[in-house]
Each structure stands twice: as structure tokens, then as C-alpha cells.
Amino acid sequence: MQPLFVIIVLAIVVLALIKDRMRPGLILLSGAVVFMCGGILSPKELLEGFANKGMITVAMLFLVSEGVRRSGMLEALLKRLLPHNKTGNSVRRVQMRMLPTVAFISAFLNNTPVVVIFAPMVKRWAEKHGVAATKLLIPLSYATILGGVCTLIGTSTNLVVHGMVIDAGFKGFSMFELGKVGIIVATAGLLYVWLFSNKLLPSERIDRDEATRPDELSHGMHRIEVVLGARFPAINRRIIDFDFKRKYGADILELKRGGVTMIMHDMRRERFHEGDTLVLLANDDFMKNWGDSSFFLMVSNGKEQDFRMPRWKCWLSVVLLFLMIVGATVGELPAVRQAAPRMHLDMFFFVSVVTIIMAWLNIFPARKYTKYISWDILITIASAFAISRAMQNSGMADAVAQFTVELSKSCSPVVLLAVIFIITNLFTELMTNNAAAALAFPLSLSIAQHMGVSPMPFFVTICMAASASFSTPIGYQTNLIVQGVGNYKFADFVRIGLPLNLIALIITVTVVPLLWPF
């Protein structure tokens, strides 16, 4: 009876995630609480995810990323990458200079701030040099996703699966272990984008009210572009019912959603949605008051941000990031473990040290540190652990695994590896990557146990599949950001992203069994 109950609850949870009824974290937490009420989870098991080392590591990585973002070093790097002469303005040449570097940065920093910094800069550069920004912004998002699969800290999903692997009694991933397959996927993905994005992506879309813009830029007012985040207080409320002018001191000129631009008199009865891009008319006070707000994923006024951080702090933030990566890598070596048996010199240890140093040196605003942590992602991760445990406690994961193995007795484990990839990837395109990993993990573990093979190939496959969100703008936050900035339609992501999903699938199911034998 319990397996059936879990299946019904999970079906409701998945439907709620797809329908976007609430934020993913609260939806998953609701499912975990229902399982606790049904006696499938104990209160201790429900809370274990909130004390998980992987979840706390993700929280502190948000702060480290914010410290590096505020240094201005990323902006300086991108300025060097973007050509300054007209001979270097071809889309392919710009992509060749920019995308590999962006992927490398995203292997060690949270993807969202990288896109938040780079997307407005790329758009400004494209407008200045007569290049279609639409040819560059989706590739920018894809480069951050592809870079993220190359390291343990490249995306929160890798840390989530890493935590589940350890909880299941297996040795977790080292810093660069996932890079064995991730670098191949990233290289092939970047090559595909470089070769085909110019043909598959649309040319620049011109807004309908272009002619009215010069008159709007008078009396100290100028245009500001914002992308609405999940914490924006009017999400799902009608625009006409929310006094944006009184709350934020700005007038809404346009709303961009799914490649469609609506001007104010067309959209008053529309509702605000996460990922909407608003074009505002405001003065400089808006940037001062709301430029750092968690209500908006991105705020751009067409100018470069200046955090006025002392130069030594700028360089120190980058040095600390480098030491964190090197320390976590060296700390995994057997000789180091033997030399310091009581100290676990892993990623959690070094990210904790770096976060505290950055806080005390005010490299990120220590008094406002809670603003830079995505709490919904943390609640999603913690609840994901609980739901994964419920699937195992109830016997549901075993029942589904046994049914799957019975159906595929004549198939090799590689076929089931492909099935796990497709299921995980489908979930991540429709809802969220961490939830997809949570649902796929216990199924993969049970399938491997029933087949009598090593589960590690399945765990690595989940990491690749959960991050390979290319076909929809809703599966990954960076896709959502560039959709509004570039005024893309949903079909634009499907056209260029679906072949990239297939490339990731083929490489993963081919390479993973060779590197992590069954």
C-alpha cells in the first residue's frame, strides 16, 4: 500500500512543479511533510537534508560567487574577450573567444551570477557593433550549463547527487571526477553551438515601440531592464492590481515574455510571472535602491556596475577562489588524508574557510548576506533528500526498479542508463534540476541493485542529465534570464537545444560505462 501512496503523492508533486503552482522548494517540502504524516518518514529523516553537508556547501558557494562577482574581475575579463575592432565582429569569432572562457568560469562559480553579469554586457556590445544579440545570449547560457557539468561545484545538482551517493554508503565524487565525461560533453556541446547557432538562432527582434524611445529619455529618466525573480512580491498578480510606480519609483514601459513584447496599454490585465523582463522608465535612484535586490534576477541600465571595491580585495577574492579549488582537490589525495586523519579537507572545509574570510573582510556585504543565498534552492535540496529517502523506505523505488528490470531482461545495462538519462532530462526540462535528480536517484540505485551492477554509472548519468537543460527556458534559471534579455520565443530553445540534449545523451551513455564500469 505504501508504494502506491508514494506514487500518487509524487505524481501530484510533479504536476505541481510542472504547473508552477508554488516555488519548487515549497512543493517538495509539502510532499516530504505528507510522507511524514503517512508514517513513511520520521521527523529525523525529514530534517536530515537540512543538515546535509552538500546543501550547506551550496549555500556558502552562493556567497563566494557573490564575492567574486563584486570584484569586477569578470567584467574586466569579458571586456578583453569581446573584440574592439570591426574585423572581429563575426558571430563565430565572438563565440570562439567568449564561450570556452565562460564555460571554464562556470565550472567553479554559480552559473546565475555569471549570466547576470555577462548578459547585459554582451547585449550592449552587440548593439554597439551591429551584431544580433540573439546569436550570443542563448549560447552564453548554454556555455555556463556545459561548464557546470565539469566539476563537483559547477552546479548545485552535482553536490546534491554527491550528498546522496555518500548517504547511500558509497564514496562520493572528487572535485574533477565528473570532468572525465563532463569535459567531453562540454567540448562537443560548445563545438555544436559554434557551428550551428548562427543558422538556428533568430536575428534581432525589434520592439514595437522603438519610435517612442527618444522622448522617454528626458528629465533625468532612462530605460532600465529587469528580470523578475521568484521572490518578487507580485508574482502571479495582475499588473493592474499592483502599484509598481509607488513601490519602486518606476514606470513600466514594456513586458517581454516568450519572444513577445507588450507595451503598457496592452498588458494591464496580464499577470507577473517569474522570468518576465520589464523595461522601466526610472532615474538613478532605482539602481541604488533595487540594483542588488533579490526580487530581480538581473537589473541593467545600459551601464557597467561599479562596486568601488579596493583593488586588493578584488584580487584577493580571485586568489581565495583559486585556493579553495586547489585545497579541495589536494585534500582528496590519500597522502593528505593520512597526514591529517582528523581533518576532512574536502570542499565543505575550504568553502567554509573562504566564506568566513570574505565575510570578515566585507568582500561581499556581510550585513546583507542572506540576500545572496537562493533559499528556495536550499529548501529544494533538503526536501529532495527527504523525498528520496521516502521512495526507498516505502519500497516504491524497489518496486519500480524490479518492474523495469523485468521488462528489460534481454537488454544491457547501457539501455537502462539511457532510460535513466531520458527520464531525468525530461524532468529537468519541465521542472527543476535538483528535483529531477532527487526523483531519479533512488530509482537508479534500486535498478543497479536488482541487476547486480555498480550504481556509479547511473549516478554520473543523473548528474549529466539533470544539468543538460537546453530545450526549454524554464528548466534552468540562466535560460530564463537570457530569454527575456534576448526576447526569445520558446521555440528558439527547442530548435537549438533539442540536438544538444541528444548530443549529451549519446556521449554520456557511450563514455560513462567505459570510465565507470558496471
Side-chain angles (χ1 to χ4, degrees):
M1 195 64 189
Q2 279 192 342
L4 181 61
F5 175 72
V6 171
I7 289 173
I8 292 171
V9 173
L10 285 179
I12 296 171
V13 165
V14 170
L15 186 62
L17 287 166
I18 294 171
K19 293 286 186 181
D20 198 24
R21 292 296 184 189
M22 292 186 291
R23 294 300 301 147
L26 199 53
I27 293 172
L28 289 179
L29 181 60
S30 301
V33 170
V34 169
F35 291 141
M36 182 181 69
C37 294
I40 296 170
L41 284 177
S42 67
K44 182 176 181 293
E45 288 173 325
L46 175 62
L47 293 171
E48 277 175 354
F50 290 91
N52 183 269
K53 189 187 291 187
M55 191 208 74
I56 305 300
T57 301
V58 171
M60 289 189 285
L61 283 170
F62 280 122
L63 298 177
V64 172
S65 294
E66 178 63 21
V68 175
R69 183 180 80 88
R70 286 181 165 270
S71 71
M73 302 298 278
L74 296 180
E75 289 95 330
L77 177 61
L78 186 61
K79 280 184 191 176
R80 290 181 174 273
L81 292 175
L82 293 174
H84 297 286
N85 51 59
K86 293 195 174 183
T87 58
N89 288 353
S90 73
V91 170
R92 282 191 176 179
R93 180 163 182 180
V94 174
Q95 289 181 352
M96 185 185 294
R97 290 168 64 99
M98 179 179 70
L99 299 186
T101 305
V102 170
F104 178 80
I105 293 169
S106 295
F108 305 104
L109 288 178
N110 185 271
N111 294 351
T112 301
V114 173
V115 172
V116 165
I117 291 171
F118 286 0
M121 292 182 68
V122 168
K123 187 176 182 181
R124 286 196 301 270
W125 180 90
E127 290 171 349
K128 181 180 177 181
H129 290 83
V131 177
T134 46
K135 304 287 188 182
L136 300 174
L137 291 170
I138 279 182
L140 172 67
S141 177
Y142 286 177
T144 63
I145 295 171
L146 290 166
V149 302
C150 296
T151 68
L152 178 62
I153 62 171
T155 172
S156 60
T157 310
N158 290 352
L159 284 164
V160 170
V161 177
H162 171 72
M164 290 180 174
V165 170
I166 292 173
D167 284 352
F170 298 92
K171 185 176 179 293
F173 302 121
S174 61
M175 172 65 82
F176 296 103
E177 185 173 0
L178 292 170
K180 294 175 184 176
V181 62
I183 290 174
I184 300 173
V185 172
T187 303
L190 291 175
L191 184 61
Y192 161 78
V193 170
W194 183 70
L195 289 173
F196 297 103
S197 61
N198 198 26
K199 294 179 181 179
L200 296 175
L201 289 173
S203 298
E204 199 78 60
R205 293 191 174 101
I206 305 299
D207 296 335
R208 291 186 298 168
D209 65 332
E210 190 83 35
T212 67
R213 290 183 178 178
D215 296 332
E216 294 162 358
L217 304 177
S218 57
H219 308 298
M221 307 292 280
H222 50 88
R223 297 168 65 85
I224 292 176
E225 204 168 39
V226 301
V227 178
L228 301 184
R231 298 177 72 178
F232 180 67
I235 291 294
N236 293 328
R237 288 179 60 181
R238 293 195 310 172
I239 294 174
I240 197 172
D241 296 333
F242 186 76
D243 194 342
F244 196 97
K245 172 74 172 178
R246 184 183 64 82
K247 182 76 174 174
Y248 300 106
D251 293 306
I252 303 176
L253 300 178
E254 305 170 14
L255 180 147
K256 299 178 184 179
R257 179 192 300 152
V260 177
T261 300
M262 293 170 277
I263 55 178
M264 188 59 193
H265 61 74
D266 291 337
M267 63 177 172
R268 293 179 65 81
R269 297 195 178 276
E270 286 287 333
R271 296 179 184 271
F272 291 112
H273 296 296
E274 182 187 357
D276 283 352
T277 297
L278 303 182
V279 178
L280 311 175
L281 187 65
N283 58 25
D284 289 332
D285 289 339
F286 185 90
M287 291 296 293
K288 293 176 185 175
N289 296 331
W290 303 105
D292 232 6
S293 172
S294 58
F295 296 161
F296 306 113
L297 296 177
M298 189 199 77
V299 181
S300 173
N301 64 349
K303 302 175 184 176
E304 296 171 15
Q305 292 194 56
D306 182 13
F307 296 113
R308 292 184 173 85
M309 185 185 290
R311 193 165 183 80
W312 69 269
K313 283 189 180 181
C314 297
W315 284 107
L316 181 61
S317 66
V318 177
V319 170
L320 287 172
L321 175 66
F322 176 75
L323 292 177
M324 180 187 79
I325 295 164
V326 172
T329 305
V330 173
E332 296 286 340
L333 298 176
V336 176
R337 288 184 174 182
Q338 290 176 5
R342 299 189 63 182
M343 295 180 68
H344 298 283
L345 301 177
D346 55 4
M347 175 51 65
F348 175 77
F349 177 91
F350 286 99
V351 77
S352 302
V353 173
V354 168
T355 301
I356 295 304
I357 292 173
M358 284 187 168
W360 280 94
L361 293 176
N362 211 37
I363 291 176
F364 61 80
R367 289 183 176 273
K368 302 178 182 179
Y369 78 98
T370 55
K371 291 174 60 175
Y372 310 115
I373 298 173
S374 180
W375 296 101
D376 185 72
I377 288 180
L378 299 187
I379 293 171
T380 298
I381 292 171
S383 303
F385 280 98
I387 286 178
S388 179
R389 179 61 61 89
M391 291 171 70
Q392 295 175 61
N393 288 355
S394 65
M396 174 260 185
D398 276 340
V400 172
Q402 191 168 1
F403 176 74
T404 305
V405 172
E406 287 293 326
L407 281 180
S408 56
K409 273 187 174 178
S410 59
C411 300
S412 71
V414 175
V415 174
L416 289 179
L417 208 62
V419 170
I420 288 295
F421 186 103
I422 292 169
I423 292 172
T424 307
N425 196 233
L426 185 62
F427 278 149
T428 202
E429 294 287 11
L430 295 175
M431 42 188 190
T432 174
N433 47 356
N434 290 318
L439 294 175
F441 184 86
L443 295 177
S444 299
L445 178 60
S446 294
I447 286 173
Q449 290 172 340
H450 277 284
M451 295 189 73
V453 298
S454 169
M456 289 306 292
F458 292 94
F459 298 158
V460 175
T461 297
I462 291 172
C463 291
M464 297 299 119
S467 293
S469 180
F470 305 112
S471 299
T472 70
I474 59 177
Y476 218 92
Q477 198 170 55
T478 57
N479 287 347
L480 208 57
I481 293 170
V482 299
Q483 183 191 28
V485 177
N487 215 20
Y488 292 108
K489 294 180 179 178
F490 193 96
D492 295 330
F493 285 88
V494 176
R495 189 183 307 111
I496 189 172
L498 194 56
L500 196 48
N501 284 82
L502 293 174
I503 289 170
L505 166 63
I506 293 168
I507 291 175
T508 300
V509 300
T510 303
V511 174
V512 166
L514 300 177
L515 300 176
W516 291 271
F518 290 105

